[in-house]
């Protein structure tokens, strides 16, 4: 599904949950206004953790 740039991302000091909520809406994972489930929040946190590990180990995308 294409990105919807009309859905704004919260400012940098927003909670991680608010950022993940906006990203899920922007990419069509959630309809605007739906609540990010605990399961999707856990998934987003794990993806972010794995990306940090890859970046820190030098295994990031080339």
């Amino acid at each position: 599904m294409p990105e919807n740039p009309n859905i704004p991302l919260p400012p940098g000091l927003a909670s991680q949950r608010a950022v993940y909520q906006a990203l899920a809406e922007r990419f069509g994972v959630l309809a605007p206004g739906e609540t990010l489930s605990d399961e999707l929040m856990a998934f987003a946190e794990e993806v972010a953790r794995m990306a940090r590990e890859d970046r820190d180990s030098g295994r990031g995308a080339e």
Side-chain angles (χ1 to χ4, degrees):
M1 178 168 271
E3 179 180 358
N4 181 351
N6 295 323
I7 298 174
L9 294 178
L13 297 177
S15 71
Q16 283 297 103
R17 188 173 200 95
V19 172
Y20 294 147
Q21 172 86 27
L23 285 170
E25 290 178 10
R26 182 178 271 197
F27 285 94
V29 174
L30 292 175
E34 282 188 38
T35 302
L36 188 68
S37 69
D38 290 339
E39 291 83 7
L40 281 175
M41 183 64 191
F43 176 77
E45 289 174 329
E46 183 63 15
V47 168
R49 185 194 64 76
M50 291 172 71
R52 280 190 305 273
E53 275 185 7
D54 283 352
R55 180 196 65 213
D56 293 346
S57 70
R59 294 181 303 188
E62 298 176 16

